[in-house]
């Protein structure tokens, strides 16, 4: 969806539901830029479009962008750097990670939502354990399965240390940007 001043829609593209949206960003931008005679619009997108390839292409083509970052997917060192900002409710700070500016915000209401969502996810995992429906073969790394630990060939447990580590990131939201807008 492309929006103009005031957030009014000016154009959109539809794609197959099973198509990875990361591959749709640049072709859509080029098409809408040409259709509406735009001169390098600023790209604002959710984390689904965050990929090194997309960012490199946007930078190569001279676009400014603000894209949602995935703090929970960052390396341990990068997560620690974000936590080291010591953000309080309503605060925002910038940090450079892998040569790119990340703007990090903290919200206590988001922290409460993150905690509620994690508790729901853990309850679902516990229910699957109780019913015997969780096996090593059925475990992937999506959702709250990241809070599990695999031991040996068949033992799956809910890892309390991973839960505590995940909780440290509650309330934090990040954006990767090359925008000249300052925080």
């Amino acid at each position: 969806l492309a929006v103009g001043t005031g957030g009014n829609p000016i154009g959109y593209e539809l794609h197959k539901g099973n198509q990875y949206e990361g591959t749709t960003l640049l072709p859509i931008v080029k098409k809408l830029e040409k259709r509406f005679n735009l001169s390098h619009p600023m790209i604002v997108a959710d984390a689904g479009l965050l990929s090194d390839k997309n960012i490199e292409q946007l930078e190569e083509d001279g676009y400014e962008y603000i894209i949602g970052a995935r703090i929970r997917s960052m390396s341990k060192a990068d997560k620690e750097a974000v936590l080291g900002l010591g953000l309080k409710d309503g605060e925002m700070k910038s940090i450079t990670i892998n040569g790119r500016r990340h703007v990090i915000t903290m919200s206590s209401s988001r922290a409460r939502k993150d905690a509620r969502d994690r508790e729901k996810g853990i309850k679902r995992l516990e229910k699957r354990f109780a019913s015997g429906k969780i096996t090593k073969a059925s475990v992937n790394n999506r959702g709250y399965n990241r809070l599990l630990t695999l031991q040996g060939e068949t033992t799956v447990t809910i890892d309390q240390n991973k839960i505590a580590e995940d909780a440290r990131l509650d309330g934090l939201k990040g954006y990767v940007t090359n925008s000249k807008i300052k925080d």
Side-chain angles (χ1 to χ4, degrees):
L1 174 65
V3 295
T5 306
N8 297 315
I10 59 172
Y12 65 92
E13 289 284 326
L14 297 175
H15 297 273
K16 294 178 183 176
N18 63 353
Q19 183 176 2
Y20 169 58
E21 63 184 359
T23 61
T24 65
L25 176 64
L26 294 166
I28 290 171
V29 168
K30 298 284 187 190
K31 190 174 184 180
L32 291 173
E33 191 173 21
K34 184 176 179 181
R35 178 177 170 196
F36 294 105
N37 195 28
L38 302 173
S39 177
H40 275 63
M42 178 181 281
I43 309 305
V44 180
D46 67 14
L49 298 171
L50 179 67
S51 73
D52 286 337
K53 184 178 177 182
N54 277 345
I55 289 176
E56 288 165 9
Q57 190 64 54
L58 288 171
E59 290 171 346
E60 243 177 63
D61 291 350
Y63 290 102
E64 281 189 87
Y65 59 83
I66 302 172
I67 301 177
R70 297 183 189 108
I71 295 174
R72 282 179 162 75
S73 301
M74 289 179 174
S75 72
K76 187 173 183 158
D78 291 342
K79 286 180 199 175
E80 290 303 321
V82 167
L83 289 166
L85 295 172
L87 292 173
K88 306 284 185 246
D89 186 36
E91 289 184 332
M92 172 177 65
K93 291 184 182 176
S94 289
I95 186 171
T96 300
I97 298 173
N98 299 324
R100 293 197 172 96
R101 182 167 70 121
H102 285 64
V103 177
I104 311 295
T105 64
M106 173 58 176
S107 163
S108 59
S109 61
R110 181 181 181 90
R112 288 188 297 274
K113 180 190 179 308
D114 291 345
R116 274 192 313 271
D117 289 349
R118 183 178 41 263
E119 284 304 313
K120 281 198 253 181
I122 291 167
K123 285 187 187 327
R124 281 193 304 271
L125 287 172
E126 289 170 340
K127 187 176 178 181
R128 286 169 56 199
F129 269 105
S131 69
K133 291 184 180 176
I134 192 165
T135 65
K136 185 176 177 180
S138 68
V139 173
N140 59 35
N141 203 21
R142 293 190 328 228
Y144 292 97
N145 287 349
R146 71 179 184 272
L147 304 176
L148 300 175
T149 296
L150 301 180
Q151 298 172 340
E153 284 299 310
T154 58
T155 305
V156 179
T157 60
I158 296 175
D159 190 326
Q160 297 301 318
N161 292 329
K162 287 183 179 180
I163 292 170
E165 200 57 33
D166 191 69
R168 294 176 64 209
L169 300 171
D170 286 357
L172 294 171
K173 176 68 181 145
Y175 304 88
V176 61
T177 184
N178 69 347
S179 166
K180 293 166 185 60
I181 298 171
K182 297 296 175 197
D183 41 293

